[in-house]
Amino acid sequence: MFGQSSLGSTSTNRMNDFEVVAPPEDSVSALEFSPATVQQNFLIAGSWDSSVRCWEVEQTGKTVPKSMKTMGGPVLDVCWSDDGTKVFIASEKQVKIWDLASDQQMQVAAHEAPVKTCHWIKSSNYTCLMTGSWDKTLKFWDTRSPNPMLAINLPERCYCADVDYPMAVVGTAGRGLIIYSLENSPTEFKRQESPLKYQHRTISIFRDKKKAPTGYALGSIEGRVGIQYVNPINPKDNFTFKCHRSSGSTGFQDIYAVNDIAFHPIHGTLVTVGSDGTFSFWDKDARTKLKSSETMDQSITKCSFNANGQIFAYAVGYDWSKGHEYFNPTKKPQIFLRSCYEDLKPRTT
């Protein structure tokens, strides 16, 4: 795709990657590449500065800012429509749809507390927007109607969610995990015991060899990831592993949050990014680490693969994981891109 940048322009570019121009003013809270239905690569980033930005990523690694919208408050999630013409933006207690061609936006979803997640669902007989909120509900919106098609009560606040049709999964406060079947209409399929003992931070669905969604990876604030199958053939198929930890000089270990997890769209391998300022590539089937990055200047808050799995994007910025005393206003958020297809190939046996 594109080679690595030879300049390494600033010392904060630890991996000598391509730096996205004109990044947000505050930490990146959502990062999503355009779907495969779009020929070019577009990258959307939502931020705590209340902005949503769109760039075109060229084959050379050059980024061209395309557009920006400002919301009424911090953006907690973004997602694309399946045809790549629209972007949904969760900010405060609502979700807006942004039509990229006309540059118009309008509200399409509302909750009684901030909306933490938004995902577009495309089924053979319906399309809708799924929103998860801190008001302890999961709602499904037709986007043409002011009222939801369906509202489901959750046991607790929605902290993380993912959708890969016909499966959805939601992680809540109190370590709740609920799987939904989306065929015909969304219905609860199963509640699972969390494999992790600490607060859920991120969740990502993975597929089997036939490209059908079959399980998920769940990351917690305690430097650990759980790999869970919906219907494990063997109970030993489910396992957890430690990550984003550093051994301090005193014999104690520093343990950081897993901030985001993404699966490679072709290889099925995965990446985790953390508050320790590193990303790691993993092969869950071989149960092995493929690569680890250098440690960045700040936490890595979000990451994304583009549709054909050639580009890996990751956002560096402060996530307040060490409190206000570690906040340094001179350190600005950055988004980096790297060519990743080879690094994420599964371990050959």
Side-chain angles (χ1 to χ4, degrees), residues 20-29 45-53 55 68-70 298 316-318 320 327-335:
V20 173
V21 298
E25 300 294 314
D26 202 345
S27 307
V28 172
S29 47
S47 165
W48 285 93
D49 71 358
S50 305
S51 77
V52 181
R53 287 169 164 83
W55 298 264
M68 177 181 133
K69 281 279 176 259
T70 304
Q298 303 184 79
V316 176
Y318 191 48
W320 300 87
F327 173 62
N328 179 350
T330 63
K331 290 185 180 180
K332 297 298 180 195
Q334 294 169 290
I335 302 171

Side-chain angles (χ1 to χ4, degrees), residues 32-35 38 42-44 52-55 66-69 79-81 83-89 97-105:
E32 293 289 339
F33 272 106
S34 50
V38 184
F42 292 99
L43 182 64
I44 293 273
V52 181
R53 287 169 164 83
C54 178
W55 298 264
K66 285 295 188 189
S67 192
M68 177 181 133
K69 281 279 176 259
C79 70
W80 288 83
S81 63
D83 62 3
T85 62
K86 298 170 187 70
V87 169
F88 297 93
I89 304 157
I97 185 171
W98 177 18
D99 185 304
L100 295 171
S102 68
D103 203 32
Q104 298 299 304
Q105 54 177 350

Side-chain angles (χ1 to χ4, degrees), residues 166-180:
M167 174 179 163
V169 62
V170 174
T172 70
R175 299 170 43 249
L177 280 173
I178 311 165
I179 300 162
Y180 298 90

Side-chain angles (χ1 to χ4, degrees), residues 14-195:
R14 301 274 192 268
M15 297 296 287
N16 201 21
D17 289 334
F18 288 90
E19 188 168 347
V20 173
V21 298
E25 300 294 314
D26 202 345
S27 307
V28 172
S29 47
L31 195 63
E32 293 289 339
F33 272 106
S34 50
T37 45
V38 184
Q39 272 191 309
Q40 309 101 302
N41 287 297
F42 292 99
L43 182 64
I44 293 273
S47 165
W48 285 93
D49 71 358
S50 305
S51 77
V52 181
R53 287 169 164 83
C54 178
W55 298 264
E56 183 174 349
V57 181
E58 296 180 351
Q59 296 290 341
T60 57
K62 184 180 160 205
T63 44
V64 182
K66 285 295 188 189
S67 192
M68 177 181 133
K69 281 279 176 259
T70 304
M71 301 291 123
V75 175
L76 296 187
D77 203 9
V78 299
C79 70
W80 288 83
S81 63
D82 60 281
D83 62 3
T85 62
K86 298 170 187 70
V87 169
F88 297 93
I89 304 157
S91 174
E92 300 202 297
K93 299 177 188 178
Q94 59 189 39
V95 179
K96 287 186 171 169
I97 185 171
W98 177 18
D99 185 304
L100 295 171
S102 68
D103 203 32
Q104 298 299 304
Q105 54 177 350
M106 61 178 251
Q107 184 178 328
V108 290
H111 281 266
E112 287 168 18
V115 181
K116 182 65 172 67
T117 66
C118 63
H119 291 85
W120 183 248
I121 296 171
K122 179 172 168 56
S123 130
S124 52
N125 61 340
Y126 72 95
T127 55
C128 74
L129 180 72
M130 181 182 97
T131 57
S133 165
W134 292 339
D135 69 7
K136 305 184 186 179
T137 65
L138 189 65
K139 293 182 181 180
F140 298 83
W141 307 82
D142 163 299
T143 74
R144 292 166 299 196
S145 160
N147 297 316
M149 299 163 29
L150 178 67
I152 297 175
N153 288 320
L154 296 170
E156 251 292 2
R157 287 153 293 168
C158 174
Y159 276 176
C160 52
D162 196 19
V163 166
D164 187 3
Y165 186 84
M167 174 179 163
V169 62
V170 174
T172 70
R175 299 170 43 249
L177 280 173
I178 311 165
I179 300 162
Y180 298 90
S181 165
L182 302 174
E183 281 175 289
N184 302 320
S185 70
T187 51
E188 184 175 318
F189 177 73
K190 175 186 275 196
R191 294 195 180 201
Q192 285 188 312
E193 187 75 19
S194 177

